Amino acid sequence: MPTLSVFMDVPLAQKLEGSLLETYKQDNCPKKIFLAYRVCMTNEGQPWVSSVVRKIRLQIAQDPSLNYEYMPVMGMKSFIQASLELLFGKHSRVIVENRVGGVHTVGDNGAFQIGAQFLKTWHGNSQIVYIISSQKELYGLVFQDMGFTVYEYSFWDSKQLCMNPDVLLDVVEQAPRDCIFVIGNIGNCKMTQHQWAKLMATMKSKQIFPFFDIPHQGLSTGDLEEDTKFLQYFVSGGLEFFCSQSLSKNFGIYDEGVGVLAVVAFNNQLLLGALSQLMNFALALWLNPPTMGARIITSILCNPALHEAWKQNLKGVVENIMLIKEKVKEKIRLLGTPGSWNHITDQNGTHGYLGLDSRQVEYLVKKKHIYIPKNGRINFTCITACNIDYITESINEAVLFTKGS
Amino acid sequence: MPTLSVFMDVPLAQKLEGSLLETYKQDNCPKKIFLAYRVCMTNEGQPWVSSVVRKIRLQIAQDPSLNYEYMPVMGMKSFIQASLELLFGKHSRVIVENRVGGVHTVGDNGAFQIGAQFLKTWHGNSQIVYIISSQKELYGLVFQDMGFTVYEYSFWDSKQLCMNPDVLLDVVEQAPRDCIFVIGNIGNCKMTQHQWAKLMATMKSKQIFPFFDIPHQGLSTGDLEEDTKFLQYFVSGGLEFFCSQSLSKNFGIYDEGVGVLAVVAFNNQLLLGALSQLMNFALALWLNPPTMGARIITSILCNPALHEAWKQNLKGVVENIMLIKEKVKEKIRLLGTPGSWNHITDQNGTHGYLGLDSRQVEYLVKKKHIYIPKNGRINFTCITACNIDYITESINEAVLFTKGS
C-alpha cells in the first residue's frame, strides 16, 4: 500500500489580502499607480522613517553594555510604561490609579490575537463583534477564525461626505447588549459634547466592550495627545476597554511589529487578573516578544530631546499630508469637477475617503490603472508631484463619465 | 445599578513556567545556584553570544542602503532559504526535489503555534500528540489549549543511565496510529542502522507524523551537519514531517525569537498547499515576522568567512562544555561517590541528565540551594570554576545521604 500524504486534502489557501496589490503588480501599463499602501510614504515614494530612528539604531549597535537576553513574557517593562504614557498621558487618571496595564505584543496583529483569545475565553456573555470596515480585512478574520460572529460597520456618510456621528450612534444603538466593538479612526468623527455623552451612556447601559485600534498615534492630527484624546472620554465614562497600539508606523520601523495591548480595568486587582491571562496567551504564541523595535522606541521616548525631535517629525509629516490634500482639492476644483471636495481636507491622517461611488472607483481602476479600494479610501501620501495631475484629471474624468451615463 | 466589570470572573493565571526560577530568586541563601537556564552560558555566567553577531549588528546599523519595509507574510525569503540549507544541506534531496519549504516564525514557540494550528485543522484522523518530556512544559500547553490529547514520553533510561533506543522504539510501537510525535534531542540517542530502520518502518506503517524540535543546531556535537543528520533518515525513510528550527540560541540573539517552521512533503504541489495554509495562520498571528534577528543571521550564513567564523565559535563552545563535564565527572569520582558517572560525558550538548533520583534532587534543592528540575536534567554551562566544588561535593552528599537512608 503506498503511503498517503498527510497534506493530501490540504487545498491551496486563498490569498487573504493584497489582491488589489497583486493586480497592480501584474499590470503592465506604465501609468499604473497604487494608492492603497498601508504606511505613510515620503514625497520620494518611499515608506517614511523618523530621522531619529536611524541615529538610535547606530547608538544601540555601538553600545557594549547592552545584553540581548530573554525578555519576560510580558515584554519590555520600560517600553510598556512609555507606550501607556503616550496613549493616556503621564498624569492621567488610569495611570495614577494603577488600573491600566499592557502586554508587549508582536505588532497590532499580535495585540488583536491575544485580545481576541482572551475575549473568547472570558467574555462568555457575548461572542458578537462589531468591527469598523477599514479594519475588517485585517482583524475581522482573527475574530472569525475563533468562532466569533463578526459584523462590519462604518460611520462614513457617503451622501454628506463626512464621518457622521449620528451614523455611529445609530450603529451602537442597534448593536446587541454585551457585544464587542472594534473602534478605529473615531478621532475623525467630529462629535459634540452631547454626542460623546450619548455614546458613553449607550455603551455603558448596554455593557458594550470597546476594543480600540490606534495604528499610528500622531499621524492623524500631527499632535500625539490630540490623536488619543477620545480615550479620556471612555475613561471618564467609566468604561473598561482594550486598546491595541502599534508603534511601527509612527516611527517607521515597519519590519518589526512593535505593539502593545493596553487594558483599562475598574481597579488594579481586576487589571492584574486580566494581564496574567493575557500573558499566558502570549507565552504560547511567542514566549518573548522581539525587542529590537521596542528598544529603539523606548530610547527615543525616554530621552526628552529625541522625544521632541520625533514629535516635530510627526508634525512635519502631517503638514505635508495636509499640503497634498489641499493641492488635490485645488486641482480637482480647477478642472471644474462637480462637487465641493471639502471632504478631502476635512479628514485627518494619511488615509481618507475620496468620496467616489463604486462605478467611479471601477472607472479609475479599469480605465486609468489607478488602484483604489472599493470604498474609495486612499492613502494620500501615495500622491506625489509626479502623479498628481494624472490622478486628479482621472478623478474628474471618472466623475464626468458616470454623471453622463 | 452599578456596572459590573468585564474582568470580574477572570482569575489570576497560574504561572506556567519559571516556578523553579522564582523559588531560586526568592531564596536568600548566598550559596544558591541555578542550574536550569535554557541558554548556553559563558564561563563568566553570561548568556553566550557569537562574536560575529556584534560585528554584524554594527554593520547593519551603518548600512544606508537598507530599508525597513514590511516583509511578506511568509517572512524573509533569503533567511528561510539559508535556514533550510543549514538544516538539510545545500544539495540534499528534499531541496533539490523542491519539496521542502519554510515559514519564518517568531521563534520556536511561533513555529509550534502555527504547526499545531495547522494540524488541528488538517490532521483530522488523529488529535493525539506524543511529546518528549523536556519540551512538554513549553509546547505541550500549545497543543493542549487547542484541544489535542497530549502524552509525555522520554527515552532517558534512569537505570542504565543513557538515552535508550529500545525505550524509544517501545514508545513508538505503543503509540496509536496516525498520532503526532514531537521529537527532540534524538541525536543523543545512539541508534544502530538496524534500530533506525525499525523506527522508520514503525512510524511509516502507523502513519505517525513527526514534528521535530531543533532548538540550537550546532550546540549539541559542535558540528552543524552532525546535529541534524538524523533528519536524513526520515527523508530517506519516505516520511513527511514538520521541523521547528530556532536560531536564537546558536547565534546568541535571545531577545529576538528567530525561527522557521520547515515542512517536508512528498512533492512540491503538496508542499505549496501546506505552506499557503500555514501562511494564513501566520498572517492572523503577527502579519509579518520581525526581521532584525533574521537579517543578522542571514548576513552571517550567506558570507562564507563569517559563516566559518560562526562554525568555529560553536565548536569552541562545545569543547568548553565537554571540558566542564569532564571536570564534573573527575571531581565526583575523586570524592569517591558511588557510580561510574560516565553518563555525564556520554551525553551531548548544553543540557544533560545528572542521573539522580527524585530524593537526591530534592536534597540538592532543599538542603544545598542548588536549583535543579525534578528530572535531574541540568544545563552544564551553568557550572563554573567558582561553583564546581560546591556542586560536586553537594552531589556526593546527596548520593551518600540517600544511599544511607
Coordinates of all heavy atoms in Angstrom, one line a residue, chain B residues 161-235:
Chain B
L161 N 21.2 4.6 32.8 CA 21.7 6.0 32.7 C 22.2 6.3 31.3 O 23.3 6.7 31.0 CB 22.9 6.2 33.7 CG 22.5 6.1 35.2 CD1 23.7 6.1 36.1 CD2 21.5 7.2 35.6
C162 N 21.3 6.1 30.3 CA 21.6 6.5 28.9 C 20.3 6.8 28.2 O 19.2 6.4 28.6 CB 22.4 5.4 28.2 SG 21.4 4.0 27.9
M163 N 20.4 7.4 27.0 CA 19.3 7.6 26.1 C 19.1 6.2 25.4 O 19.9 5.8 24.6 CB 19.6 8.6 25.0 CG 19.8 10.0 25.6 SD 18.2 10.7 26.3 CE 18.8 12.3 26.6
N164 N 18.1 5.5 25.8 CA 17.9 4.1 25.4 C 17.1 4.0 24.1 O 15.9 4.2 24.2 CB 17.4 3.3 26.5 CG 17.4 1.8 26.3 OD1 17.5 1.4 25.1 ND2 17.4 1.1 27.4
P165 N 17.7 3.5 23.0 CA 16.9 3.4 21.7 C 15.7 2.4 21.9 O 14.6 2.6 21.3 CB 17.9 2.8 20.7 CG 19.2 3.2 21.3 CD 19.1 3.2 22.8
D166 N 15.9 1.4 22.7 CA 14.8 0.4 22.9 C 13.6 1.0 23.6 O 12.4 0.7 23.3 CB 15.3 -0.8 23.8 CG 16.3 -1.6 23.0 OD1 16.1 -1.7 21.7 OD2 17.2 -2.2 23.6
V167 N 13.9 2.0 24.5 CA 12.7 2.7 25.2 C 12.0 3.5 24.1 O 10.8 3.5 24.1 CB 13.3 3.6 26.3 CG1 12.1 4.4 26.9 CG2 14.0 2.8 27.4
L168 N 12.7 4.2 23.3 CA 12.1 5.0 22.2 C 11.3 4.1 21.3 O 10.1 4.4 21.0 CB 13.2 5.8 21.4 CG 12.7 6.6 20.2 CD1 11.7 7.7 20.7 CD2 13.9 7.2 19.5
L169 N 11.9 3.0 20.9 CA 11.2 2.1 20.0 C 9.9 1.6 20.6 O 8.8 1.4 19.9 CB 12.1 1.0 19.5 CG 13.1 1.4 18.5 CD1 14.2 0.3 18.4 CD2 12.5 1.6 17.1
D170 N 10.0 1.3 21.9 CA 8.8 0.8 22.6 C 7.7 1.9 22.6 O 6.5 1.5 22.4 CB 9.2 0.6 24.1 CG 9.3 -0.9 24.4 OD1 9.3 -1.7 23.4 OD2 9.2 -1.3 25.6
V171 N 8.1 3.1 22.9 CA 7.1 4.2 22.9 C 6.4 4.3 21.6 O 5.1 4.4 21.5 CB 7.7 5.5 23.3 CG1 6.7 6.7 23.2 CG2 8.3 5.5 24.7
V172 N 7.2 4.3 20.5 CA 6.6 4.4 19.2 C 5.7 3.2 18.9 O 4.6 3.4 18.3 CB 7.7 4.5 18.1 CG1 7.1 4.6 16.7 CG2 8.5 5.8 18.4
E173 N 6.1 2.0 19.3 CA 5.3 0.9 19.0 C 3.9 0.9 19.7 O 2.9 0.4 19.2 CB 6.0 -0.4 19.3 CG 6.4 -1.2 18.1 CD 7.6 -2.1 18.3 OE1 7.6 -2.8 19.2 OE2 8.6 -2.0 17.5
Q174 N 4.0 1.5 20.9 CA 2.7 1.5 21.7 C 1.8 2.7 21.4 O 0.6 2.7 21.7 CB 3.0 1.5 23.2 CG 3.2 0.0 23.7 CD 4.0 0.0 25.0 OE1 3.9 0.8 25.8 NE2 4.8 -1.1 25.1
A175 N 2.4 3.7 20.6 CA 1.6 4.9 20.3 C 0.5 4.5 19.3 O 0.7 3.6 18.5 CB 2.5 5.9 19.7
P176 N -0.6 5.2 19.3 CA -1.7 4.9 18.4 C -1.4 5.3 16.9 O -0.6 6.2 16.7 CB -2.9 5.6 18.9 CG -2.3 6.8 19.7 CD -1.0 6.3 20.2
R177 N -2.0 4.7 16.0 CA -1.9 5.0 14.6 C -2.1 6.5 14.4 O -2.9 7.1 15.1 CB -2.9 4.3 13.7 CG -2.5 2.9 13.3 CD -3.6 2.4 12.3 NE -3.5 3.0 11.0 CZ -2.6 2.8 10.1 NH1 -1.7 1.8 10.3 NH2 -2.5 3.4 9.0
D178 N -1.5 7.1 13.4 CA -1.8 8.5 12.9 C -1.5 9.6 13.9 O -1.8 10.7 13.7 CB -3.3 8.6 12.6 CG -3.7 7.8 11.4 OD1 -2.9 7.9 10.4 OD2 -4.7 7.1 11.4
C179 N -0.9 9.2 15.1 CA -0.7 10.3 16.1 C 0.5 11.2 15.6 O 1.2 11.0 14.7 CB -0.4 9.7 17.5 SG 1.2 9.0 17.6
I180 N 0.6 12.3 16.4 CA 1.7 13.3 16.1 C 2.8 13.1 17.1 O 2.5 12.9 18.3 CB 1.1 14.7 16.2 CG1 0.1 14.9 15.1 CG2 2.2 15.8 16.1 CD1 -1.0 15.9 15.5
F181 N 4.0 13.1 16.7 CA 5.1 12.8 17.6 C 6.1 13.9 17.6 O 6.9 14.1 16.7 CB 5.8 11.5 17.0 CG 6.1 10.5 18.0 CD1 5.2 9.6 18.4 CD2 7.4 10.4 18.7 CE1 5.4 8.6 19.4 CE2 7.6 9.5 19.6 CZ 6.7 8.6 20.0
V182 N 6.1 14.7 18.8 CA 7.1 15.8 18.9 C 8.4 15.2 19.4 O 8.5 14.6 20.5 CB 6.6 16.8 19.9 CG1 7.7 17.9 20.0 CG2 5.3 17.4 19.3
I183 N 9.5 15.3 18.6 CA 10.7 14.7 18.8 C 11.8 15.7 19.0 O 12.1 16.6 18.2 CB 11.1 13.8 17.6 CG1 10.0 12.7 17.4 CG2 12.5 13.1 17.9 CD1 10.2 11.9 16.1
G184 N 12.5 15.6 20.2 CA 13.6 16.5 20.4 C 14.8 15.7 20.9 O 14.6 14.5 21.4
N185 N 16.0 16.2 20.7 CA 17.2 15.5 21.3 C 17.4 14.1 20.9 O 18.1 13.3 21.6 CB 16.9 15.5 22.9 CG 18.3 15.5 23.6 OD1 19.3 15.9 23.0 ND2 18.2 15.2 24.9
I186 N 16.9 13.7 19.7 CA 17.1 12.3 19.3 C 18.5 12.0 18.9 O 19.0 10.9 18.9 CB 16.1 12.0 18.1 CG1 15.9 10.5 18.0 CG2 16.5 12.6 16.8 CD1 14.8 10.1 17.0
G187 N 19.3 13.1 18.5 CA 20.7 12.9 18.2 C 21.5 12.3 19.3 O 22.5 11.7 19.1
N188 N 21.0 12.5 20.5 CA 21.7 12.0 21.7 C 21.4 10.5 21.9 O 22.0 9.9 22.8 CB 21.2 12.7 23.0 CG 22.3 13.6 23.6 OD1 23.5 13.1 23.5 ND2 22.0 14.7 24.1
C189 N 20.5 9.9 21.1 CA 20.1 8.5 21.2 C 21.0 7.7 20.2 O 20.7 7.8 19.0 CB 18.6 8.4 20.9 SG 17.9 6.8 21.4
K190 N 21.9 7.0 20.7 CA 22.9 6.3 19.8 C 22.2 5.1 19.2 O 22.3 4.0 19.8 CB 24.2 6.1 20.5 CG 25.0 7.4 20.5 CD 26.1 7.4 21.6 CE 26.6 8.9 21.7 NZ 25.9 9.6 22.9
M191 N 21.7 5.2 18.0 CA 20.9 4.0 17.4 C 21.8 3.4 16.3 O 22.5 4.0 15.6 CB 19.6 4.5 16.8 CG 18.6 5.0 17.8 SD 16.9 4.9 17.2 CE 16.7 6.5 16.8
T192 N 21.6 2.1 16.3 CA 22.3 1.3 15.2 C 21.5 1.5 13.9 O 20.3 1.9 13.9 CB 22.4 -0.2 15.5 OG1 21.0 -0.6 15.6 CG2 23.1 -0.4 16.8
Q193 N 22.1 1.1 12.8 CA 21.4 1.2 11.5 C 20.1 0.4 11.5 O 19.1 0.9 11.0 CB 22.4 0.6 10.4 CG 22.2 1.1 9.0 CD 22.5 2.6 8.9 OE1 23.4 3.1 9.6 NE2 21.8 3.3 8.1
H194 N 20.2 -0.7 12.2 CA 19.0 -1.6 12.3 C 17.9 -0.9 13.1 O 16.7 -1.0 12.8 CB 19.5 -2.9 13.0 CG 18.3 -3.8 13.2 ND1 17.7 -4.5 12.2 CD2 17.7 -4.2 14.4 CE1 16.7 -5.3 12.7 NE2 16.7 -5.1 14.0
Q195 N 18.3 -0.3 14.2 CA 17.3 0.4 15.0 C 16.6 1.6 14.3 O 15.4 1.8 14.4 CB 17.9 0.9 16.3 CG 18.1 -0.2 17.4 CD 19.0 0.1 18.5 OE1 20.0 0.9 18.3 NE2 18.7 -0.4 19.7
W196 N 17.4 2.3 13.5 CA 16.9 3.4 12.7 C 15.9 2.9 11.7 O 14.8 3.4 11.6 CB 18.0 4.2 11.9 CG 18.7 5.2 12.7 CD1 20.0 5.2 13.1 CD2 18.1 6.5 13.2 NE1 20.3 6.4 13.8 CE2 19.1 7.2 13.9 CE3 16.8 7.0 13.1 CZ2 18.9 8.4 14.5 CZ3 16.6 8.3 13.8 CH2 17.7 8.9 14.4
A197 N 16.2 1.8 11.1 CA 15.3 1.2 10.1 C 14.0 0.8 10.7 O 12.9 1.0 10.2 CB 16.0 0.0 9.4
K198 N 14.1 0.2 11.9 CA 12.9 -0.3 12.6 C 12.0 0.9 13.0 O 10.8 0.9 12.9 CB 13.4 -1.0 13.9 CG 12.3 -1.9 14.4 CD 12.8 -2.8 15.5 CE 11.6 -3.4 16.3 NZ 12.0 -3.9 17.6
L199 N 12.7 2.0 13.5 CA 11.9 3.2 13.9 C 11.2 3.8 12.7 O 10.0 4.1 12.8 CB 12.9 4.3 14.4 CG 12.3 5.6 14.9 CD1 11.4 5.4 16.1 CD2 13.3 6.6 15.2
M200 N 11.9 3.9 11.5 CA 11.2 4.4 10.3 C 10.1 3.5 9.9 O 9.0 4.0 9.6 CB 12.2 4.3 9.1 CG 13.4 5.3 9.2 SD 12.8 7.0 9.5 CE 13.7 7.3 11.0
A201 N 10.3 2.2 9.9 CA 9.3 1.2 9.4 C 8.0 1.3 10.3 O 6.9 1.4 9.8 CB 9.8 -0.2 9.4
T202 N 8.2 1.4 11.6 CA 7.1 1.5 12.5 C 6.3 2.8 12.3 O 5.1 2.8 12.2 CB 7.6 1.4 14.0 OG1 8.5 0.4 14.1 CG2 6.4 1.2 15.0
M203 N 7.1 3.9 12.3 CA 6.4 5.2 12.1 C 5.7 5.3 10.8 O 4.6 5.8 10.7 CB 7.5 6.3 12.1 CG 8.0 6.6 13.5 SD 8.8 8.2 13.5 CE 8.2 8.9 15.1
K204 N 6.3 4.7 9.7 CA 5.6 4.8 8.4 C 4.4 3.9 8.4 O 3.3 4.4 7.9 CB 6.6 4.3 7.4 CG 6.4 5.0 6.0 CD 7.5 4.7 5.1 CE 7.1 4.9 3.7 NZ 8.1 4.6 2.7
S205 N 4.5 2.7 8.9 CA 3.3 1.8 8.8 C 2.2 2.3 9.7 O 1.0 2.1 9.4 CB 3.7 0.4 9.2 OG 3.8 0.3 10.6
K206 N 2.5 3.0 10.7 CA 1.4 3.6 11.6 C 1.1 5.0 11.2 O 0.3 5.6 11.9 CB 1.9 3.5 13.1 CG 2.1 2.1 13.6 CD 2.6 2.1 15.0 CE 1.5 2.2 16.0 NZ 2.0 1.9 17.4
Q207 N 1.6 5.5 10.1 CA 1.4 6.9 9.7 C 1.5 7.9 10.8 O 0.7 8.8 10.9 CB 0.0 6.9 9.1 CG -0.3 6.0 7.9 CD -0.5 6.7 6.6 OE1 0.2 7.7 6.3 NE2 -1.3 6.2 5.8
I208 N 2.6 7.7 11.6 CA 2.9 8.7 12.6 C 3.5 9.9 12.0 O 4.4 9.8 11.1 CB 3.8 8.0 13.7 CG1 3.0 7.0 14.5 CG2 4.4 9.1 14.6 CD1 3.8 6.2 15.5
F209 N 3.1 11.1 12.4 CA 3.6 12.3 11.8 C 4.6 13.0 12.8 O 4.3 13.4 13.9 CB 2.4 13.3 11.6 CG 2.9 14.6 10.9 CD1 3.2 14.6 9.6 CD2 3.0 15.8 11.6 CE1 3.6 15.7 8.9 CE2 3.4 17.0 11.0 CZ 3.7 16.9 9.6
P210 N 5.9 13.0 12.4 CA 6.9 13.6 13.3 C 7.0 15.1 13.2 O 6.8 15.7 12.1 CB 8.3 13.0 12.7 CG 7.9 12.0 11.6 CD 6.5 12.4 11.2
F211 N 7.2 15.7 14.4 CA 7.3 17.2 14.5 C 8.6 17.4 15.3 O 8.6 17.3 16.5 CB 6.1 17.7 15.2 CG 5.9 19.2 15.1 CD1 4.6 19.7 15.1 CD2 6.9 20.1 15.0 CE1 4.3 21.1 15.0 CE2 6.7 21.4 14.8 CZ 5.4 21.9 14.9
F212 N 9.7 17.7 14.5 CA 11.0 17.8 15.2 C 11.2 19.2 15.8 O 10.6 20.2 15.4 CB 12.1 17.6 14.2 CG 12.1 16.2 13.6 CD1 11.6 15.9 12.4 CD2 12.6 15.1 14.4 CE1 11.5 14.6 11.9 CE2 12.6 13.8 13.9 CZ 12.0 13.6 12.6
D213 N 12.0 19.2 16.8 CA 12.4 20.4 17.5 C 13.9 20.5 17.5 O 14.6 19.7 18.1 CB 11.9 20.3 19.0 CG 12.2 21.6 19.7 OD1 12.2 22.7 19.1 OD2 12.5 21.5 21.0
I214 N 14.4 21.5 16.7 CA 15.8 21.7 16.7 C 16.1 23.1 17.4 O 16.1 24.1 16.7 CB 16.4 21.8 15.2 CG1 15.8 20.6 14.4 CG2 17.9 21.9 15.2 CD1 16.5 19.3 14.6
P215 N 16.3 23.1 18.7 CA 16.4 24.3 19.4 C 17.7 25.1 19.2 O 17.8 26.3 19.4 CB 16.2 23.9 20.8 CG 16.6 22.5 20.9 CD 16.4 21.9 19.6
H216 N 18.8 24.3 18.9 CA 20.1 25.0 18.8 C 21.1 24.2 18.0 O 22.1 23.7 18.6 CB 20.7 25.4 20.2 CG 20.4 24.4 21.3 ND1 20.7 23.1 21.1 CD2 19.9 24.6 22.5 CE1 20.4 22.5 22.2 NE2 19.9 23.3 23.1
Q217 N 20.9 24.1 16.7 CA 21.7 23.3 15.9 C 23.2 23.7 16.1 O 23.5 24.9 16.0 CB 21.3 23.5 14.4 CG 22.0 22.6 13.4 CD 21.6 22.8 12.0 OE1 20.6 23.5 11.7 NE2 22.2 22.1 11.1
G218 N 24.1 22.7 16.2 CA 25.5 23.0 16.4 C 26.0 23.0 17.8 O 27.1 22.8 18.1
L219 N 25.0 23.2 18.7 CA 25.4 23.3 20.2 C 25.3 21.9 20.8 O 25.5 21.8 22.0 CB 24.6 24.3 20.9 CG 25.0 25.7 20.7 CD1 24.1 26.7 21.5 CD2 26.5 26.0 21.1
S220 N 25.0 20.9 20.0 CA 24.9 19.5 20.6 C 26.3 18.8 20.4 O 27.0 18.6 21.4 CB 23.8 18.8 19.9 OG 23.6 17.5 20.6
T221 N 26.7 18.6 19.2 CA 28.0 17.9 19.0 C 29.1 19.0 18.6 O 30.3 18.6 18.5 CB 27.9 16.9 17.8 OG1 27.6 17.7 16.6 CG2 26.8 15.9 18.0
G222 N 28.7 20.2 18.3 CA 29.7 21.2 17.9 C 29.8 21.2 16.3 O 30.5 22.0 15.8
D223 N 29.1 20.2 15.7 CA 29.2 20.1 14.2 C 27.8 20.2 13.7 O 26.9 19.5 14.0 CB 29.7 18.7 13.9 CG 29.8 18.4 12.4 OD1 28.9 18.9 11.7 OD2 30.7 17.6 12.0
L224 N 27.6 21.3 12.9 CA 26.2 21.6 12.4 C 25.6 20.5 11.7 O 24.4 20.2 11.9 CB 26.3 22.8 11.5 CG 26.5 24.2 12.2 CD1 27.1 25.2 11.2 CD2 25.3 24.7 12.8
E225 N 26.3 19.8 10.8 CA 25.8 18.7 10.0 C 25.4 17.5 10.9 O 24.4 16.9 10.7 CB 26.7 18.3 8.9 CG 26.7 19.3 7.7 CD 27.8 19.0 6.7 OE1 28.0 17.8 6.5 OE2 28.3 20.0 6.1
E226 N 26.3 17.2 11.8 CA 26.1 16.1 12.6 C 24.8 16.2 13.5 O 24.1 15.2 13.7 CB 27.4 15.9 13.6 CG 27.4 14.7 14.4 CD 27.5 13.4 13.7 OE1 28.1 13.4 12.6 OE2 27.0 12.4 14.2
D227 N 24.6 17.4 13.9 CA 23.4 17.7 14.8 C 22.1 17.4 14.1 O 21.1 17.2 14.8 CB 23.5 19.1 15.3 CG 24.3 19.3 16.6 OD1 25.0 18.3 16.9 OD2 24.2 20.3 17.2
T228 N 22.0 17.5 12.8 CA 20.7 17.3 12.1 C 20.8 16.2 11.1 O 19.9 16.0 10.3 CB 20.2 18.6 11.4 OG1 21.3 19.0 10.5 CG2 19.9 19.7 12.3
K229 N 21.8 15.3 11.3 CA 22.0 14.2 10.3 C 20.8 13.3 10.4 O 20.4 12.7 9.3 CB 23.3 13.5 10.7 CG 23.9 12.7 9.6 CD 25.2 12.0 10.1 CE 24.9 10.9 11.2 NZ 26.0 10.3 11.7
F230 N 20.2 13.1 11.5 CA 19.1 12.2 11.7 C 17.9 12.5 10.8 O 17.1 11.7 10.4 CB 18.7 12.1 13.1 CG 18.1 13.3 13.7 CD1 16.7 13.6 13.6 CD2 18.9 14.3 14.3 CE1 16.2 14.8 14.1 CE2 18.3 15.4 14.8 CZ 17.0 15.7 14.7
L231 N 17.8 13.8 10.4 CA 16.7 14.2 9.5 C 16.7 13.5 8.2 O 15.7 13.2 7.6 CB 16.7 15.8 9.3 CG 16.3 16.7 10.4 CD1 16.5 18.1 10.0 CD2 14.9 16.4 10.9
Q232 N 18.0 13.2 7.8 CA 18.1 12.5 6.5 C 17.5 11.1 6.6 O 17.0 10.6 5.6 CB 19.6 12.3 6.2 CG 20.4 13.6 6.2 CD 19.9 14.6 5.2 OE1 19.3 14.3 4.2 NE2 20.1 15.9 5.5
Y233 N 17.6 10.4 7.7 CA 16.9 9.1 7.9 C 15.4 9.2 7.6 O 14.8 8.4 7.0 CB 17.1 8.6 9.3 CG 18.5 8.1 9.6 CD1 19.3 8.8 10.5 CD2 19.0 6.9 9.0 CE1 20.6 8.4 10.8 CE2 20.3 6.5 9.3 CZ 21.1 7.2 10.2 OH 22.3 6.8 10.5
F234 N 14.8 10.3 8.1 CA 13.4 10.4 8.0 C 13.0 10.8 6.5 O 12.0 10.3 6.0 CB 12.9 11.5 8.9 CG 12.8 11.0 10.4 CD1 14.0 11.1 11.2 CD2 11.7 10.4 10.9 CE1 14.0 10.6 12.5 CE2 11.7 10.0 12.2 CZ 12.9 10.0 13.0
V235 N 13.9 11.6 5.9 CA 13.7 11.9 4.5 C 13.9 10.6 3.6 O 13.0 10.3 2.9 CB 14.8 12.9 4.0 CG1 14.7 13.0 2.5 CG2 14.5 14.3 4.6

